[in-house]
Amino acid sequence: MLERLRWYGARLSTMSVPEIGHRVVELGRKSRFRAEKRGWKAISGDFSGSFADLSDLRARLRQVPLSCGTGFDPALALGRRWPATHFEGTRPRESLWFFDPISERSWPGAEQAAFDIDVRSTSAVPDEQRRYGDVKFVWEPARLQALHWLAVRAAHGEAGAFEDGMAWVRSWMAANPPWRGVHWTSGIEIALRIVSVTLLIASDAAAAARPEYRSELLRFLTAHASWLVRFPSLYSSANNHRVAEGLGLFLAGLVLPGSQQARTYAREGRHILETEAELQILPDGVGAEQSPTYQGFTMEMLALAQLVARALSRPLAGVDERLRRGAAFLAALQDDAGHVPAIGDDDEGRVVTCSGVPEPLYVASIVHAMAGLLGEASSSCVAPGYLREALFGGPDAVARASRRSFKDFAAGGYVVVRDEAAGHRYHLIFDRGPLGYLSLAAHGHADALALWLNVDGRPLFIDAGTWLYHSGRETRHELRRSQAHNTLSIQGRSQSEPSSAFSWKNIAKSEVLFTSPQAWAVEGAHDGYLSAFGVRHARRIARNEDGFVIQDRLMGARTPLAATWNFLLAEHVEAEVVDGVVALSLEGRRLASIRVPTSLTARVEQGTHAPQFGVLRETQRIVLAGDIGEEGCMIAVSFAATENS
């Protein structure tokens, strides 16, 4: 209870007066939903009509090669396997929907009203309080994304595939009557189930129209859409969740028979999608949430809606251009192998996927899929070959990464440099942008003026990643603080300090000070330490002959302040401090060095990063320490000479 009260206190501090009023009204709606116990009988409407024509979407499903389903495994999600006892072959038992793989307990189902369930007081590991694990784990199978591959097989005419899909839908409906249990608490989960069922309906229109299936599918979509209308993510919550709600309403409104209510759903969904595309993908293509994977997720939702809208000859206005710019930015973040740094949060959410198939190159897949949707050449350097790329018609050819380029994404705050020095190719990303989106900045990390570095196609300076959400507790906070990122911290403080899993006590504001593409030099500053110390941290990064230099200073400092500089290393990189120089080696070969000013000390210590959701691993990090003031100090990163340099 105490944790829940702390969360409410942190959330309340981010809300405007209008939002507080909205939340009060919402509480009344939730109270009425708590009292409803009639189950699916409470969902009324005309369930005798026909579904909308989704033949174009079916044709898209048929163009997906069956090879994309290699590895399909509905028992595997978020890197964890659900026990076989929750399945009959590949069909689910009702126990699947509530099984928590962390505590091995069952979350509440029909016996408890959805809005009475505490989804935040969870634990990363089994504990004495018998708390559940992160709610993400129980939600994942209930997105019904096993239907995506079954829909592909049904569209190819495989006997029994549609029936297998309906077995999943019926099992979920039997265990989850409207407004009861853990699966009616989140709009984004509800919206993604609409996506899954829409794909199944599109895969075989004749089968979906059978009387024994049609009324169930119509009731399913009606219940889900009506929830989204009543509990929208507005104000500080209007991030990627709002886009998901728009997608869910848009699809439900188009698929349901042409009633006035269905037209209202479609119209509202269209309005949300067109509005949020302009807000959540900035004019330079950077995602407003300051997370490449959440940007990819948002773009995938917009792209699926556009795919369907085009088939009906009513494309979404303004969406194509934002997707085009977003793809260009995400392509700039890619290294030669298609990986991007784990900037901000990443919970591995997908819109169109093949259950059980890992997608380590998700962002590259999004970039390639956007090229297919837009009918343009791909700006991705790899085509991972996932289901979504085939659905969107990703082209055969991929792009070649430029050896030298300087790209300034001013609205989003990123500078991306590709260059060469001492016979090495390097790819550097510098962040002088905002913490995140809206007053909550839910998925941003305190990484202002941080940098990420890749050398010769291998990561060197990395991001700490996400790990878990509510159940991560203090470790979740640690991975979001400045000390976990490749930037400077003053006296052990973070530039922005977390107050809960998705909110902040204070938010540092960044600004651009200097940009010189010709000389390859950039500078930014932030005010995260202004309140506590009366200073603003400024950082300049500039090219030199054998690498680059980092110049930090504290603007307004009257006396020097104790500070630390952190550089988190990729797992394969080894570091050693010798005579004021930090030597960095890869597989026994010297790669680079950090020349430490005489005013600072250097040490190598154990660090932590999360390579995927729910996984923590050890690595090394370099920590420099000393005093810094207005005059600042300079740290040089030099690449080791090669035989060809």
Side-chain angles (χ1 to χ4, degrees):
M1 177 60 72
L2 182 59
E3 290 180 8
R4 200 170 188 180
L5 290 174
R6 286 174 180 164
W7 181 86
Y8 280 119
R11 280 295 281 114
L12 191 62
S13 68
T14 68
M15 294 182 188
S16 63
V17 172
E19 178 171 6
I20 293 172
H22 162 71
R23 299 295 179 184
V24 170
V25 173
E26 187 178 66
L27 285 174
R29 293 197 193 104
K30 288 182 177 180
S31 179
R32 291 190 291 275
F33 267 51
R34 284 186 177 94
E36 178 57 69
K37 298 180 180 180
R38 290 178 295 164
W40 291 102
K41 294 179 181 178
I43 308 304
S44 59
D46 179 9
F47 301 129
S48 61
S50 300
F51 294 111
D53 180 13
L54 297 173
S55 56
D56 186 79
L57 186 53
R58 185 189 184 203
R60 291 275 184 169
L61 290 166
R62 290 185 67 181
Q63 76 184 17
V64 176
L66 292 176
S67 59
C68 285
T70 302
F72 170 68
D73 187 347
L76 189 63
L78 294 175
R80 296 174 185 268
R81 179 169 296 282
W82 270 244
T85 53
H86 299 294
F87 297 87
E88 293 181 13
T90 59
R91 294 184 175 187
R93 299 179 188 270
E94 290 182 19
S95 61
L96 171 68
W97 309 120
F98 309 109
F99 177 73
D100 172 27
I102 306 301
S103 67
E104 298 189 346
R105 298 172 58 211
S106 291
W107 279 82
E111 72 278 6
Q112 188 169 354
F115 294 124
D116 288 336
I117 299 171
D118 180 5
V119 299
R120 300 180 184 91
S121 300
T122 52
S123 176
V125 296
D127 63 7
E128 294 179 354
Q129 300 176 48
R130 301 191 72 237
R131 290 178 294 190
Y132 300 109
D134 203 293
V135 72
K136 272 284 300 177
F137 292 111
V138 74
W139 277 344
E140 197 70 16
R143 290 181 170 184
L144 299 182
Q145 291 182 330
L147 298 184
H148 299 187
W149 185 242
L150 293 174
V152 170
R153 288 161 51 186
H156 277 273
E158 181 179 319
F162 187 90
E163 288 71 20
D164 284 345
M166 280 304 304
W168 278 77
V169 175
R170 284 176 156 175
S171 173
W172 190 90
M173 291 180 71
N176 295 279
W179 334 143
R180 312 291 296 178
V182 70
H183 296 303
W184 290 102
T185 60
S186 170
I188 195 168
E189 305 304 315
I190 287 166
L192 290 174
R193 281 196 290 275
I194 292 176
V195 171
S196 298
V197 168
T198 298
L199 292 174
L200 182 66
I201 292 170
S203 72
D204 191 337
R210 294 175 196 163
E212 66 269 29
Y213 292 154
R214 183 184 60 219
S215 63
E216 289 177 302
L217 291 168
L218 290 172
R219 207 176 295 272
F220 179 99
L221 292 173
T222 300
H224 281 64
S226 66
W227 193 103
L228 294 178
V229 166
R230 288 169 172 81
F231 301 104
S233 297
L234 301 178
Y235 299 100
S236 62
S237 297
N239 54 12
N240 66 88
H241 288 237
R242 189 63 176 150
V243 179
E245 292 160 7
L247 174 61
L249 287 171
F250 184 65
L251 292 179
L254 294 179
V255 175
L256 289 167
S259 66
Q260 180 59 44
Q261 186 63 67
R263 287 190 289 273
T264 299
Y265 291 154
R267 185 168 57 250
E268 175 65 9
R270 174 182 288 273
H271 172 72
I272 293 169
L273 293 164
E274 292 176 344
T275 300
E276 295 302 320
E278 296 288 318
L279 295 173
Q280 298 200 35
I281 302 176
L282 302 177
D284 60 1
V286 177
E289 294 200 81
Q290 298 287 305
S291 159
T293 49
Y294 268 102
Q295 176 176 345
F297 184 60
T298 296
M299 289 172 59
E300 189 178 5
M301 290 187 283
L302 292 168
L304 181 60
Q306 186 69 302
L307 191 73
V308 175
R310 281 186 186 173
L312 301 175
S313 301
R314 289 195 60 205
L316 302 173
V319 168
D320 282 0
E321 185 56 31
R322 290 299 163 127
L323 293 177
R324 181 177 292 110
R325 296 180 186 185
F329 168 66
L330 293 179
L333 296 184
Q334 289 182 22
D335 64 19
D336 295 349
H339 296 283
V340 301
I343 301 170
D345 277 346
D346 177 12
D347 69 356
E348 300 180 36
R350 308 290 187 256
V351 182
V352 177
T353 189
C354 183
S355 293
V357 176
E359 295 188 351
L361 298 177
Y362 174 62
V363 171
S365 175
I366 291 297
V367 175
H368 201 63
M370 295 307 103
L373 175 72
L374 299 172
E376 299 173 353
S378 178
S379 53
S380 176
C381 58
V382 297
Y386 305 148
L387 187 155
R388 81 178 51 78
E389 297 152 61
L391 183 75
F392 285 103
D396 294 332
V398 296
R400 294 187 63 181
S402 171
R403 298 185 73 86
R404 279 197 166 99
S405 64
F406 181 99
K407 296 182 179 180
D408 180 15
F409 299 91
Y414 291 92
V415 174
V416 182
V417 177
R418 296 181 189 273
D419 205 347
E420 298 178 342
H424 297 276
R425 293 177 294 108
Y426 66 93
H427 177 212
L428 182 147
I429 301 167
F430 178 51
D431 177 13
R432 50 185 181 177
L435 173 64
Y437 185 49
L438 304 174
S439 63
L440 203 57
H443 294 299
H445 289 190
D447 54 11
L449 308 188
L451 70 151
W452 298 265
L453 181 65
N454 183 290
V455 181
D456 295 333
R458 302 287 294 273
L460 187 66
F461 299 158
I462 65 170
D463 196 281
T466 301
W467 189 43
L468 293 168
Y469 283 159
H470 290 291
S471 63
R473 287 186 173 75
E474 185 54 36
T475 302
R476 160 75 170 158
H477 291 343
E478 289 176 3
L479 294 178
R480 298 173 83 204
R481 290 188 177 108
S482 304
Q483 294 91 324
H485 296 88
N486 306 319
T487 188
L488 175 148
S489 302
I490 298 178
Q491 295 185 8
R493 298 207 186 186
S494 179
Q495 56 194 230
S496 298
E497 185 64 36
S499 59
S500 75
F502 296 106
S503 59
W504 301 85
K505 295 177 183 176
N506 68 290
I507 292 180
K509 295 180 175 59
S510 300
E511 63 176 312
V512 173
L513 296 182
F514 176 80
T515 304
S516 175
Q518 295 77 20
W520 173 161
V522 294
E523 187 174 19
H526 71 78
D527 66 357
Y529 301 118
L530 187 61
S531 176
F533 302 105
V535 300
R536 293 161 65 232
H537 172 210
R539 168 169 282 187
R540 175 178 290 213
I541 304 180
R543 185 186 195 277
N544 65 10
E545 289 187 2
D546 58 358
F548 58 91
V549 294
I550 303 169
Q551 295 174 288
D552 290 298
R553 58 194 173 101
L554 299 183
M555 301 166 63
R558 296 181 179 179
T559 59
L561 297 170
T564 55
W565 289 253
N566 296 284
F567 298 92
L568 188 65
L569 301 178
E571 289 184 38
H572 54 269
V573 177
E574 299 175 349
E576 181 183 15
V577 181
V578 180
D579 297 330
V581 174
V582 182
L584 303 175
S585 301
L586 173 63
E587 297 169 351
R589 180 173 64 93
R590 178 70 64 84
L591 189 65
S593 62
I594 300 175
R595 292 198 295 272
V596 183
T598 56
S599 59
L600 305 182
T601 62
R603 66 181 186 273
V604 179
E605 62 183 34
Q606 179 182 309
T608 303
H609 79 120
Q612 65 186 86
F613 192 83
V615 175
L616 273 183
R617 287 217 294 255
E618 294 181 358
T619 189
Q620 290 186 318
R621 71 172 178 178
I622 301 163
V623 180
L624 311 183
D627 293 343
I628 181 174
E630 179 79 54
E631 71 284 358
C633 67
M634 184 174 72
I635 299 165
V637 178
S638 302
F639 300 113
T642 66
E643 294 180 359
N644 298 323
S645 61

